Structures are given as structure tokens and as C-alpha cells.
Amino acid sequence: MANPSPPIETIRPEVDQIVETIIYLYTESRRLTKGIAREVGLTGPQLTVLKLLETFQDLSLSSLSERIRAQNSTVTGIIDRMEREGLVCRERSKSDRRVVYIKLTEKGAKLAREIRVEPLEIFRIALTSLTQADLKDLLRILMKLQKRVLARVEEEET
Amino acid sequence: MANPSPPIETIRPEVDQIVETIIYLYTESRRLTKGIAREVGLTGPQLTVLKLLETFQDLSLSSLSERIRAQNSTVTGIIDRMEREGLVCRERSKSDRRVVYIKLTEKGAKLAREIRVEPLEIFRIALTSLTQADLKDLLRILMKLQKRVLARVEEEET
DNA sequence: CCACGATGCTTCGTGTACGAATTATTCGCT
DNA sequence: AGCGAATAATTCGTACACGAAGCATCGTGG
């Protein structure tokens, strides 16, 4: 690995700009998802859940929270509100009565079919407009970055 | 621009993984910031505000919300709680009585000095460990991506 | 078989986060 | 001067989002 760490002052602007850009991309794509959701009377997270349930038929609350990277307590609230709107229903597992499965109701399934756009779709469309080479490079570098961060996180947890 | 858009199915996995990774990097670095903040009895956003005010001495509420990419109403709440804790104070501008400047109190300034780590620091450290070439490539591709998203956003607003 | 730790979900308290409505002030225009 | 649009901040209602505590259920070791 040649020239791994140049003095930090010289690359500070680049680093800051990269951080800025990633934050922009993340927040903007969330904002756009929210906009799509609003058109059908949903919130961002609710749209995400709806589309997930359309794909997987049913999911336990835990696996749902894992997929959307949120705590169980957060997802409980989201499901509460969606249940109130009649979009999903809870169903206790028969094999393990601690587990609750979340399913789409007819109304929920119908709504899910009406929405053509996936969450984060804009992000994905922008990505597919890159060249193959750029895509490969981007993925490679990001994975490298993720590895560094992961290492630091595990170090933290010691 | 050679080979700009290969069929979407072939690159779907790469695209999804890139999205996943960016989301991971964003959420993880926020989580880590939050952890640092907790150690001194602050929340993530409060730490960000504290460090910003340490750098700029004082900022109007609007410019503060612009910098942390949040709505005025959100920042009003954050400042309310920080004021309650005696970390900052509000001061009406004399030239324009609509404007409120936020300043650190003695207590706030002292706390800011005690915290060595910047928000998103881990992110930055990981970035500086990349090679110069990787950094340059990453920035170039991300900027391209941002341009595409921006175009789409402006198109939306028509 | 049964005590006990682990697991799955909910509840509660607090802190963002947003958008719409409100208030106070400023600025442009006539 | 003075009316009306624009701007700065706040208030309000709703929805995440998290962590700690609580409750029910499961699984295992003794």
C-alpha cells in the first residue's frame, strides 16, 4: 500500500468535502423518499416497512427492526400507527408465543402495489448512471472505508 | 463517456451494496458521535452545536440550522434545552431585531474545550487512512453522483 | 421439573425532526 | 409615510428514535 497517510492538513479539504457529500446524499435521498411517501399519506419509515412486507409476506418485529436499522421500541411505534390505519396486522407466532409477525392487510397490500417507486430509488438511479469503472471503484473504496470503521468500532467495544 | 448505463439487472448487486455501505457509514458515525456526547452528558446534535459555536463564537439560529441541516423549529428546541442546561445563551441582534444570536456561556465554553473529539471524527480518520489516489477517486465519483441527484431534485421542483 | 437466564416485544421518558401556523420585524415600493 | 411581501424565530402537533425498565415466554442445567 503506497503512500497511505499523507499529512492530514494537506488533505483536510478533500476529506471534509467527502463527508459533506455523503451526508448530503444520505439526507437528500431520505427527503425524497419522504416526499414520495407523503403523496400516498405515509411517512418515510412507513413506506419502507410497507415495501419490505410486500417483498417478504411477513416478518417478525425483530427482523423488521434489523432490516431498517432501528430499535424494537421504534418499530413498535411505527407498526402501532400502521395498524391504526389498517395497513398491517399483528399475529402471534404459534411455535413461539413471544414472537409477533407483521403482515399486510388487503388495504396495505393494495397500497403497496400502487406505489411504483422503491425507497432510496433516486439514489439507485443516480448510481446506475455511473460508468461500470466508476461503480467498481466506488464500491471498492467504500468497502475499504467500511472495514476501517468496523475495525474501530470493534476496538471500541473491547 | 463510454458505456454509461449497462443493463440495470447486471449491476443491481453492486448498486445495492453501495447504498447499504453509505447508509452504514452514515448511521455508524452518528452512533459513535452520540457515544462521545453521552460521556459528557450531551446528545449528538448538542455536541455538534457546541463545537460549531466554539469555532464561530456566535451564530444566528438560522445559520446554525443551515450548518447542521435541520429546520429552524428543530434547532429552537435544541437551543432551548442547551439554554436550560446553562451551556448557551440567546442574544437579540441590535441591527436586526428579528435575529437571535446563540453564544456559549462560560460553562459551555469550558465543556467544549474539554472535548477533544470532533463530531464525525471517526469518519474523517478512516478517510485519511486511504491512499491519495483513492481519496481523489472517491471525491470525484461522489461529486458526480451528487450532481446527478441535484439535477433530479431541481427537476422535481419545477 | 423447575429455577433462572435469555429472548421478544411493549411501555415510558426524553430528545430530535419536520411542516404548518403565528408573531415580530424589516424591506421594497409607491 | 405606510402597505404588503419577505424574513427570523417560535409554537404546536405528529412521528420517529433511543435506552431503560417491565412483562411474557422460552430453553437449559441441575
Side-chain angles (χ1 to χ4, degrees):
Chain A
M1 201 180 292
N3 189 22
S5 291
I8 187 164
E9 314 84 38
T10 58
I11 54 170
R12 187 67 147 137
E14 273 100 330
V15 168
D16 282 358
Q17 200 167 5
I18 289 174
V19 173
E20 274 291 304
T21 309
I22 290 183
I23 292 177
Y24 169 80
L25 287 172
Y26 178 86
T27 56
E28 190 59 30
S29 64
R30 282 213 2 169
R31 205 181 62 81
L32 291 170
T33 300
K34 199 173 186 171
I36 299 166
R38 274 177 72 87
E39 288 176 20
V40 291
L42 292 176
T43 64
Q46 286 174 12
L47 172 56
T48 308
V49 167
L50 201 75
K51 279 300 193 180
L52 272 175
L53 290 175
E54 191 188 26
T55 307
F56 293 100
Q57 314 301 331
D58 58 5
L59 285 169
S60 74
L61 193 130
S62 303
S63 46
L64 200 50
S65 17
E66 210 172 308
R67 273 180 195 281
I68 69 174
R69 278 176 212 280
Q71 300 297 318
N72 281 351
S73 51
T74 301
V75 179
T76 294
I78 296 173
I79 297 302
D80 281 350
R81 288 178 287 273
M82 291 180 76
E83 199 174 23
R84 200 178 61 202
E85 298 298 322
L87 299 171
V88 301
C89 60
R90 284 174 160 94
E91 200 170 294
R92 279 228 172 273
S93 163
K94 297 216 163 75
S95 56
D96 184 344
R97 297 193 41 72
R98 290 170 303 180
V99 176
V100 171
Y101 286 109
I102 319 294
K103 286 186 178 188
L104 288 182
T105 60
E106 268 313 306
K107 183 178 171 190
K110 186 163 168 292
L111 183 58
R113 279 194 300 274
E114 283 170 13
I115 304 169
R116 308 162 313 290
V117 189
E118 301 276 329
L120 302 178
E121 186 81 349
I122 299 95
F123 212 148
R124 290 199 172 83
I125 291 173
L127 275 169
T128 58
S129 76
L130 294 177
T131 64
Q132 286 268 28
D134 278 353
L135 258 185
K136 258 188 67 181
D137 279 344
L138 181 57
L139 181 55
R140 179 181 55 78
I141 300 171
L142 284 179
M143 293 298 284
K144 212 190 266 189
L145 207 52
Q146 186 179 30
K147 234 174 84 182
R148 307 283 164 89
V149 174
L150 264 172
R152 220 150 241 287
V153 171
E154 278 158 20
E155 183 183 312
E156 201 98 351
E157 279 163 1
T158 321
Chain B
M1 201 181 290
N3 188 22
S5 292
I8 187 164
E9 315 83 38
T10 59
I11 55 169
R12 188 68 146 134
E14 273 101 329
V15 168
D16 282 357
Q17 200 167 5
I18 289 174
V19 173
E20 274 291 304
T21 309
I22 289 183
I23 292 176
Y24 169 80
L25 287 172
Y26 178 86
T27 56
E28 190 59 30
S29 64
R30 283 217 355 174
R31 206 181 62 82
L32 291 169
T33 299
K34 199 173 186 172
I36 299 165
R38 275 177 71 86
E39 287 175 22
V40 292
L42 292 175
T43 64
Q46 286 172 12
L47 172 57
T48 307
V49 167
L50 200 75
K51 279 302 193 179
L52 271 176
L53 289 176
E54 191 188 26
T55 307
F56 292 100
Q57 312 302 329
D58 56 6
L59 285 169
S60 73
L61 193 129
S62 302
S63 46
L64 201 50
S65 18
E66 209 173 310
R67 273 180 195 281
I68 68 174
R69 278 174 211 281
Q71 301 296 319
N72 281 353
S73 51
T74 301
V75 179
T76 295
I78 295 172
I79 297 302
D80 281 349
R81 288 178 287 274
M82 291 181 76
E83 199 173 25
R84 200 178 61 203
E85 298 298 320
L87 299 171
V88 300
C89 61
R90 285 175 160 93
E91 200 170 294
R92 278 231 172 271
S93 163
K94 298 215 163 73
S95 56
D96 184 342
R97 296 194 40 73
R98 290 170 305 179
V99 176
V100 172
Y101 285 109
I102 320 293
K103 285 186 178 189
L104 287 182
T105 60
E106 267 314 305
K107 183 179 171 188
K110 187 163 168 290
L111 184 58
R113 279 194 300 275
E114 283 171 12
I115 305 170
R116 308 162 314 289
V117 189
E118 300 276 330
L120 303 178
E121 186 81 348
I122 299 95
F123 212 148
R124 291 199 171 83
I125 292 173
L127 275 169
T128 58
S129 76
L130 293 177
T131 63
Q132 286 268 29
D134 278 353
L135 258 185
K136 258 188 68 182
D137 279 343
L138 181 57
L139 182 55
R140 180 180 55 78
I141 300 171
L142 284 179
M143 293 297 284
K144 212 190 265 187
L145 206 52
Q146 185 179 31
K147 234 174 86 184
R148 306 284 163 87
V149 174
L150 264 172
R152 220 150 242 286
V153 172
E154 277 157 19
E155 182 182 312
E156 200 98 350
E157 279 163 0
T158 320

